[in-house]
Amino acid sequence: MGDVMSKLFLFLLSALMLGGCAHPIMLSPDIAKIERSPDVAPIDKSVGYFMISGTRELQTTSSGGGGDMVSFYPYKDLETSFYKMLSNVFSKVSLLKSQNDNEAIDKYTVRLIVTPQISTSSSSSSLFTWPPTRFAVTLTCVFLDIHGKEIARKVVIGEGQAEFEEFKSDFSLSARRASLDAMKKMQELLLASQELRN
Amino acid sequence: MKVNGLLISFLITAVISGCSITAPQYSAAVTNAQSLRDSDIAEVRVGSFVPSGSAANNNTISLRGSSMTSPYGGSFSNYLAEAIKQELALAGKLKESADIEVSGVLLKNDIDVSGLSVGIGEIEARFIVKKNGISQYEAVKSVKTRFESSFVGAVAVPKGQQEYPNLVRTLVGELFQDPLFVKALKR
């Protein structure tokens, strides 16, 4: 009986210590690093952005190191950097409650509506530490006119890497680097887009 | 095999949770920025934020044996100053030479992840607005947040670490919703 109890205790302890833990990380990059070159003019348009209902609360789980998983909220974590990136690209950016937020569309004279789509992947080369050493953020911007017609769709992939010596005080480092890379690439792509300037 | 697994687990726990960690950098809230932009406030500069008393935990916050430090000069009162700066900058209202200044005193500052399933964040600060050196506003704001935590340290410590910017954002949001504060920032 004692042997059975010991095995049960060991099993429960192992399950608690080893199994099923998704370690939380954050994707938010340092927005001070998302700047526009003074040589490039912003697009002179008022845009409104919205997050599809429920996406801010969407929790994603993906691979970390040592067989462990990491979890995060991609839309919530990236919203401020997304707003900052758009503010660098367009002359005015406003938050809309939804695609049909006509009150805000009128108030801010919105001409373009944009919504982000985000997907991620992660992995680690480490067997002994859980933070991911490689992270990728695929960011898609879908642009609509105020009648809901899609007028442009832009996609970038941001990549980030971090090794143990770097991430030991910031477990989210590879993810935050990937997010920053995605925002910078998207900013460059949007500023170069002639169809958004027309 | 199980003993090896446990040894590896303890090693991982020791490596990840026994060291010094840094609080995530602050990330301003879009709703705050839009609210400030729309409220027609003047441009503002951010003055000094200093700690007062041991409850301010200005240098480190203890999270189950890990020491969390601030990414802004190792000072959590600097963290609060940086938060206000970022909010004003995102709203386009930050200007170094402005004649209206926001400063503050950090009074309480803690993240408690000792609970088995719930963590608690608590922060309190006095905020002061001066225009050309003359006081326009002074008030103490205090907030408490609760967040999901865990028995497992390797989950609870990062959860507590990630809660810090949310705690500060909640405090700053409370300040920005005070109509007297907003009035003091107008010309």
Side-chain angles (χ1 to χ4, degrees), chain A residues 46-57:
Chain A
S46 173
V47 303
Y49 84 89
F50 71 97
M51 295 281 191
I52 293 170
S53 177
T55 51
R56 286 187 183 90
E57 295 76 37

Side-chain angles (χ1 to χ4, degrees), chain A residues 24-25 80 93-95 108 128, chain B residues 12 16 28 34 37-38 162:
Chain A
I25 60 170
T80 304
V93 181
S94 304
L95 171 62
Y108 299 118
F128 300 107
Chain B
I12 292 167
I16 293 298
Q34 189 153 305
R37 187 190 70 188
D38 293 351
Q162 288 182 11

Side-chain angles (χ1 to χ4, degrees), chain B residues 15-41:
Chain B
V15 167
I16 293 298
S17 65
C19 48
S20 176
I21 55 175
T22 308
Q25 290 179 333
Y26 187 76
S27 184
V30 173
T31 46
N32 285 341
Q34 189 153 305
S35 165
L36 286 175
R37 187 190 70 188
D38 293 351
S39 62
D40 198 30
I41 61 167

Side-chain angles (χ1 to χ4, degrees), chain A residues 47-107:
Chain A
V47 303
Y49 84 89
F50 71 97
M51 295 281 191
I52 293 170
S53 177
T55 51
R56 286 187 183 90
E57 295 76 37
L58 185 70
Q59 187 176 29
T60 300
T61 301
S62 65
S63 300
D68 280 13
M69 306 295 282
V70 292
S71 68
F72 45 91
Y73 296 87
Y75 286 87
K76 187 177 85 171
D77 287 355
L78 292 182
E79 183 169 1
T80 304
S81 56
F82 183 69
Y83 176 86
K84 176 76 185 290
M85 181 275 293
L86 288 177
S87 300
N88 289 342
V89 173
F90 296 97
S91 54
K92 187 166 189 178
V93 181
S94 304
L95 171 62
L96 307 180
K97 289 177 188 150
S98 71
Q99 184 183 337
N100 302 312
D101 185 357
N102 292 324
E103 188 183 335
I105 289 169
D106 289 345
K107 180 180 176 185

Side-chain angles (χ1 to χ4, degrees), chain A residues 80-168:
Chain A
T80 304
S81 56
F82 183 69
Y83 176 86
K84 176 76 185 290
M85 181 275 293
L86 288 177
S87 300
N88 289 342
V89 173
F90 296 97
S91 54
K92 187 166 189 178
V93 181
S94 304
L95 171 62
L96 307 180
K97 289 177 188 150
S98 71
Q99 184 183 337
N100 302 312
D101 185 357
N102 292 324
E103 188 183 335
I105 289 169
D106 289 345
K107 180 180 176 185
Y108 299 118
T109 330
V110 168
R111 290 179 58 195
L112 280 177
I113 297 172
V114 56
T115 190
Q117 295 174 354
I118 301 165
S119 63
T120 58
S121 64
S122 62
S123 62
S124 172
S125 55
S126 171
L127 293 174
F128 300 107
T129 53
W130 60 261
T133 55
R134 286 182 295 274
F135 207 95
V137 173
T138 302
L139 174 64
T140 304
C141 282
V142 182
F143 287 89
L144 311 167
D145 67 17
I146 57 171
H147 306 295
K149 182 185 168 195
E150 183 173 322
I151 60 164
R153 182 177 287 253
K154 304 289 180 187
V155 185
V156 296
I157 299 174
E159 294 171 314
Q161 294 191 25
E163 299 304 324
F164 177 74
E165 276 306 313
E166 298 174 291
F167 69 55
K168 64 185 179 183

Side-chain angles (χ1 to χ4, degrees), chain B residues 94-110:
Chain B
L94 182 68
K95 190 177 180 185
E96 291 283 324
S97 59
D99 52 12
I100 298 178
E101 179 194 83
V102 181
S103 60
V105 181
L106 184 62
L107 302 170
K108 278 186 196 168
N109 180 46
D110 196 24

